[in-house]
Amino acid sequence: MGSSGVLKVFTTRADTLFGATFMAIAAEHPLALAAAARDPELAAFVDECRRGSTMEADVATQEKKGLPTGLHVRHPFTGAPIEVWVANYVLMGYGEGAVMGVPAHDERDFEFAGRHGIPIVTVVKSKSGAYGKAVAPWIPAYGEHGITVDSGEFSGLESDAAVDAIAAALEARGLGAKRVQFRLRDWGISRQRYWGCPIPLIHCPACGDVPVPDKDLPVVLPEHLVPDGSGNPLAKTPEFVHCTCPQCGGPARRETDTMDTFVDSSWYFLRFACADNDEAMVDARAHYWLPVDQYIGGIEHAILHLLYSRFWTRVMRDLGLVQLDEPFAKLLTQGMVLNHIYYRHPEGGRRSYFNPADVEMRDGVPVLIADGKPVVHDGLGTMSKSKGNGVDPSKLIGEFGADTARLFMMFTAPPEQSLEWSDEGVQGAFRFIRRLWKAVHDLVSLGPLPSADFAALDMEQKALRRLAHETLAKVTDDIGRRHTFNTAIAATMELLNVATRTSTASAQGRAVVREAYEVIVLTLSPIIPHVTHALWQSLGHATALIEEPWPKPDPVALVRDEIELVVQVNGKLRGRVTVAAGAPEEVVRAAALAEENACRFMGGKPVRKVIIVPGKLVNIVV
RNA sequence: GCCGGGAUGGCGGAACUGGUAGACGCGCCGGACUCAAAAUCCGGUUCUGGCGACAGAGUGUGGGUUCGAUUCCCUCUCCCGGCACCA
């Protein structure tokens, strides 16, 4: 009933089409504007909606308001008239700016219908039997897939099948089609800020908006401006604003909006591959280097930056500038580092924030150390300039050195986890590096480092060698696959603990200990590069550590002669037995059943079942 | 409101595929060395009971599945992040 006589809607739930009891359109929808022109009340409402926030969180929480347009459409299958409403929860920028209202199976429509007395028609029956008819109050099961009912020839289908059948039927009648709808909305890239990339346009009163000619690019920002906190300083800088029109040569005004920094972050990785090319955006080298093998970013970028950069890459692909669909092959999202937030809010003034390092607790009250007066604690939050709760690593580096600072931070938690900042424990990292340093030099001071006959090791040496190679395998996996640097570091600490206790009285002993130290030095080299570089040379190598290949564990060293198994009775740990590696199940079973403490707990009761987990445990069920 | 992640000793965390809860480190307690302190080294450290061997309890809450659950399923609570103009 618009100009074409058709109201287009987009839905992901075509299976609920027979439950549509109203149509809801966005305030900016052409039909809404046309209706508003005839209805002052509606015009006021449309105006109110436009002024409102379009932020998703606001749209989702605000009251579901609406007014009827007085217009009706016909249901595509039943032909029944359906009233068209303007609703504040429908976004013009998504889909068609119009939705079919199915109160029985959509929470927003349900709330809207309840508020405006619109009928609720159930057309999907719950598969789990959670409900038969949608009645207030709303429960999430109403929105789930199920079996269609009261849907004419489409009744009795599972939701997915119903979507396909209804879509096919609509398509056959020329009333609709299936399509992929990306949740990609319009992106307003201009910002009223000084520090963005200039938008190269000139506004001429005679010629209109004129692009800056290629020969005058790039437009360079003035460097002497100081933002005064009110508006865009570029707009207050006449020498930047005043220019001549490239077309007519008359006086003109330079665009002062700059681009969102998201624009730059959407493709900088492409530019890095060919940063010296000042003739083109990218060249063939981008094709060689991209996609980025491993992208690391904060979890706060999980939506926006990643969405924009993937979108931008596809735009450049469509323009023939690059040949890839996805910019990043692998993604690691780091957790946020949180810190306490403290502020004061003077009456009539702006909030001022204080760094947690400048705040201490006195009698359970946070006070500013400088003046001893209280500050307000605003919980934990991500570190930000605006909240002033960041941490300057240079303090840590100055006191302990860069390697200790790095080791400490990597040891604290796995990178994907969010973390409350604390530098308690930095001493532990410092101590470990010093222990490693001393251990290596103690060994070197014993004289020239011999090589070992690994076939003739005693028990202690064999155990250390096995641990060294197990550690190497674990660290390789932790760093390369799991990215759990904290457990990789913990494993090297354990190896150092054992290695420093191993006797270096014999040449064999010194050789095995040396090998263990080399595993530690090589595997920690990405984390503490300076210390390990020096230690590598102390261990008698003329080469630079950074040139060394990553070592591989020796399968011979990994072999075990015997293994310890846990013995459980009814799932509770009662004892341990040691058996030969690869012992047959009967032997393992007999050993477990003979274990002293386990026998005590079996108490002579008949054994119902014995569960053997090879290499791990035996559980005796009585 | 919706989406994603999380909760384990005094603290950061470990337990990777349902199989020994608390690795490693911090802190704390005790000891050695020292005139003393720092540093270093040795021992202890989930809680409860016990001299001890050991036993009982225990991974935010409540329930379920299993021989066995921090791990899987359901419920609830709290915390962090995102929701398109902080980047």
Side-chain angles (χ1 to χ4, degrees), chain A residues 140-178:
Chain A
Y142 294 159
E144 287 165 11
H145 285 192
I147 311 282
T148 50
V149 293
D150 294 332
S151 295
E153 58 182 297
F154 305 102
S155 299
L157 297 173
E158 293 212 8
S159 286
D160 286 341
V163 167
D164 289 340
I166 288 174
L170 285 172
E171 190 148 16
R173 297 175 196 205
L175 290 173
K178 263 190 144 179

Side-chain angles (χ1 to χ4, degrees), chain A residues 395-602:
Chain A
K395 217 178 127 192
L396 224 48
I397 294 168
E399 194 171 344
F400 296 101
D403 277 354
T404 296
R406 290 162 60 106
L407 182 70
F408 160 64
M409 287 188 275
M410 301 300 265
F411 184 57
T412 298
E416 294 192 294
Q417 194 165 309
S418 65
L419 177 79
E420 184 183 336
W421 174 261
S422 159
D423 56 14
E424 268 179 45
V426 67
Q427 281 288 350
F430 190 52
R431 241 175 251 162
F432 171 69
I433 288 179
R434 292 211 307 200
R435 285 186 59 219
L436 177 62
W437 184 273
K438 183 171 181 300
V440 168
H441 287 97
D442 283 352
L443 177 72
V444 168
S445 70
L446 294 174
L449 292 165
S451 53
D453 175 8
F454 288 137
L457 300 177
D458 66 22
M459 290 281 286
E460 185 191 40
Q461 292 156 1
K462 216 166 167 180
L464 174 60
R465 183 146 200 270
R466 186 172 62 234
L467 181 65
H469 286 264
E470 283 172 352
T471 303
L472 173 55
K474 175 171 173 54
V475 172
T476 302
D477 188 48
D478 283 353
I479 292 180
R481 178 183 64 90
R482 297 176 69 209
H483 308 309
T484 52
F485 307 105
N486 57 329
T487 54
I489 292 165
T492 64
M493 286 175 168
E494 278 180 82
L495 178 57
L496 183 66
N497 288 342
V498 174
T500 53
R501 287 189 177 102
T502 300
S503 168
T504 49
S506 68
Q508 290 279 65
R510 289 199 291 283
V512 173
V513 170
R514 176 202 191 175
E515 194 192 19
Y517 290 166
E518 290 194 350
V519 166
I520 298 172
V521 165
L522 283 163
T523 55
L524 287 184
S525 63
I527 297 170
I528 47 170
H530 309 98
V531 167
T532 50
H533 174 82
L535 290 178
W536 183 248
Q537 304 206 327
S538 299
L539 282 164
H541 298 279
T543 54
L545 180 53
I546 198 167
E547 307 289 347
E548 287 300 311
W550 193 260
K552 284 197 173 68
D554 176 0
V556 175
L558 294 173
V559 174
R560 280 174 181 275
D561 299 333
E562 48 185 27
I563 47 171
E564 190 184 59
L565 297 179
V566 161
V567 181
Q568 297 180 336
V569 178
N570 290 341
K572 281 195 186 271
L573 171 68
R574 297 304 180 188
R576 291 159 207 275
V577 289
T578 302
V579 297
E585 276 204 3
E586 298 78 43
V587 175
V588 171
R589 182 190 168 101
L593 286 169
E595 206 282 326
E596 199 184 332
N597 202 45
C599 286
R600 217 151 59 77
F601 278 88
M602 288 186 278

Side-chain angles (χ1 to χ4, degrees), chain A residues 102-120:
Chain A
V102 185
H105 305 293
D106 179 277
E107 187 172 1
R108 295 158 301 182
D109 297 343
F110 185 86
E111 189 188 331
F112 189 83
R115 180 177 300 273
H116 297 102
I118 296 169
I120 298 170

Side-chain angles (χ1 to χ4, degrees), chain A residues 381-405:
Chain A
T382 57
M383 292 186 179
S384 73
K385 280 182 291 238
S386 59
K387 302 250 164 91
N389 61 343
V391 169
D392 182 357
S394 64
K395 217 178 127 192
L396 224 48
I397 294 168
E399 194 171 344
F400 296 101
D403 277 354
T404 296

Side-chain angles (χ1 to χ4, degrees), chain A residues 185-252:
Chain A
R185 300 184 207 150
D186 288 347
W187 179 12
I189 64 160
S190 61
R191 299 288 182 271
Q192 296 73 52
R193 282 195 206 118
Y194 160 59
W195 56 83
C197 185
I199 296 171
L201 281 175
I202 288 168
H203 304 288
C204 172
C207 310
D209 299 338
V210 182
V212 174
D214 285 0
K215 68 175 174 59
D216 295 334
L217 293 176
V219 175
V220 178
L221 289 172
E223 290 184 15
H224 62 278
L225 295 192
V226 179
D228 61 7
S230 68
N232 183 352
L234 286 175
K236 302 175 203 165
T237 307
E239 62 270 31
F240 182 79
V241 175
H242 297 317
C243 60
T244 52
C245 172
Q247 264 174 35
C248 67

